[in-house]
Amino acid sequence: MRLLRSLWIYPVITVTVIMLGIVVALAATDQPRAARWIATAWVGAVVVWTLVGMIRDVVKGHVGLDILAVVAMVATLAVDEYIASLIIVLMLSGGEALEDFAQRRAKRDLTALLDRSPRVAHVLSRGEGPELVEAQDVPVDEVLVGDVLLVRPSEIVPVDGVLLTDDGTFDESSLTGESMPVGRSAGDEVLSGAINGTRAVRIRASRSSAESQYQQIIALVHAAEESRAPVVRLADRFAIPFTAVSLVLAGTAWAISGDPTRFAEVLVLATPCPLLIAAPVAFLGGLSRSAKSGVIMKGGAVIEQLAGVRSAAFDKTGTLTRGKPTLVAVRPAAGFSSDELLRLSASAEQYSSHVLASSIRQAAIDGGLELLGAGDASEVATNGVTADLGGRTVVVGKPGYVSSIAADMHRTELKPGQAAAYVAVDGQFAGALVLADDPRPESPAVISWLRSAGVERITILTGDAQATAESIGSAVGIDEVHAELLPGEKVQLAAELHPRPVLMVGDGVNDAPVLAAADIGIAMGAKGATAAGDAADVVILVDSLAKVTDAIAIARHTLRVALTAIWIGIGLSVGLMLVAMTGVIPAVAGALTQELVDLATILFALRALRGPTSGLPRDANSASIVPFRSDSSEGALGR
């Protein structure tokens, strides 16, 4: 079935192989006239089709190598070297098929990304009408302003709206970059694209789907993509000089010998297949190599751009940082030890769904502490959890909530990017647990590698607070920091960065517009949104920032291999053309010899499947940290 599908997708190759078999059979049975007419009809049709495509390309301002192939096909037909003309058609169509295969491979791997765009809304009432007993599912595009919607636990908010339920918790990280779930009260605005917490809530739609936050970001992505200029194919840069040299050599051979056959004999060795095949094969090797490393590049043009990157911009949260809060300090109050405070807190947090709870529990487990079971436990959404542990009442939560239980509670000192969970035991303040979203362990090495690799300008573009962004920048080695930015402002700054090309690395829906607007956008897509993956040129499927340097190293190696393969093809072709000018290489033999040149360039181009990566230490490359996203303000922690 796969073979039949390939035959259907590439009909020119299929028909050419059939025609070549028929023509060879007819020529062998002393029917040269029939063979000539069949070959002339098919090659002539290919020439006409190629000329139509050439005219379309010229209108668009694009001049390629097809003219050389057309002249070679016409010349071989004119001197009755029709078998050679069919071989030229086969080589030409085969090179295009290889390039198409490389592009389809990249797109197929990208379909594994999860599409999180909201499509369905659960409508409880339409406008001012009475609420229904059961929610009615309608397409999100049909939601009207004023409709009351039900959003179930862990579902995506379909449209912008106002919260009707008393309170709720939402993960807005893909929209704002804030890592911690945000608590909302009745009357607060809830944005589309946010993920609901652990309880069902009701909202009243305040905007239609097309006008809501998530859809506006998607529209900005499309606008940025359309404004980006296309990149000229690598081989086309050699088109005019190679064509000119080939025609001069062929014309000189004709003029010296006086035999038009000599023109065709020289020109069949100048067919542009080494140029057309070498780059696609090398790029296919680079695409396959990067895919095996967990990096998906969307085509050969991306490799060209990535290999020449001179400026780099990074989102902060979930990109340069871990994206997941970790326990950095245990600060017990008088009468409590650090292990006792952590053990009691982690035991109580077993009954909490808050994002900090899992980090506290994991820290206790990693410390070898045995957690206690609760006789009774309850959680007050956005505030804290209370648990009865062996006759002791333990409360873990926000400072305001804990202070209402323990009058002696006092706030602990926090640095930018840190947050605290406060603890009370039997109505007495027991201490605080400090958590932070630290830089990824590989981030400093990545920034250092980029500078040593010739990236002249490196900056941070983030929507997070200035103090937190500067703290992270200092930790990873980036001096230029732009913070508290909206998605549109990120796009503008990325467009103004110099020197070009500019690389942008980010994750989440809020980074999608700037990823699309940059010369090269890299999405940390291990747990990211489809909007970011679709907008980016490169998607990192393995959760390690070191893969950015691997992508650049692979792109540079691939481009070197492609260029070298092209020069090998040009060198061999020119050398053979000089020999063919003497008349010792017949046209059919020349066409077949050209296949050997193709084979040499392909074998060399396959070197792109192997080669050096960035060479970062193993611990940087093997980092496996689930992206979350950080925030510096304690108030954003919620519970």
Side-chain angles (χ1 to χ4, degrees), residues 430-500:
L433 305 174
V434 180
L435 299 98
D437 184 15
D438 293 332
R440 292 175 179 265
E442 69 268 29
S443 291
V446 168
I447 302 305
S448 177
W449 186 93
L450 290 174
R451 295 192 192 281
S452 65
V455 179
E456 302 173 30
R457 185 177 181 183
I458 302 177
T459 184
I460 293 177
L461 304 179
T462 179
D464 214 336
Q466 184 73 35
T468 300
E470 290 179 351
S471 174
I472 295 298
S474 176
V476 302
I478 300 178
D479 298 326
E480 184 179 349
V481 176
H482 302 274
E484 301 177 12
L485 302 175
L486 297 174
E489 293 172 329
K490 286 187 180 182
V491 171
Q492 182 179 355
L493 282 171
E496 295 172 352
L497 282 179
H498 289 280
R500 317 293 293 196

Side-chain angles (χ1 to χ4, degrees), residues 19-108:
M19 292 296 179
L20 187 59
I22 293 172
V23 167
V24 170
L26 290 173
T29 56
D30 294 329
Q31 300 183 54
R33 176 173 292 185
R36 183 184 306 111
W37 279 109
I38 290 174
T40 301
W42 174 241
V43 176
V46 173
V47 168
V48 172
W49 180 259
T50 305
L51 286 173
V52 171
M54 286 173 53
I55 294 172
R56 291 175 180 171
D57 288 342
V58 170
V59 170
K60 297 177 182 178
H62 174 76
V63 180
L65 285 157
D66 294 335
I67 183 63
L68 194 56
V70 168
V71 174
M73 287 185 283
V74 172
T76 49
L77 287 176
V79 297
D80 284 343
E81 296 288 353
Y82 44 85
I83 293 179
S85 66
L86 286 170
I87 294 175
I88 295 172
V89 172
L90 188 60
M91 289 187 294
L92 183 66
S93 57
E96 295 172 350
L98 281 172
E99 189 170 18
D100 291 342
F101 176 78
Q103 294 175 348
R104 286 201 311 274
R105 168 65 187 270
K107 292 180 180 178
R108 184 174 68 247

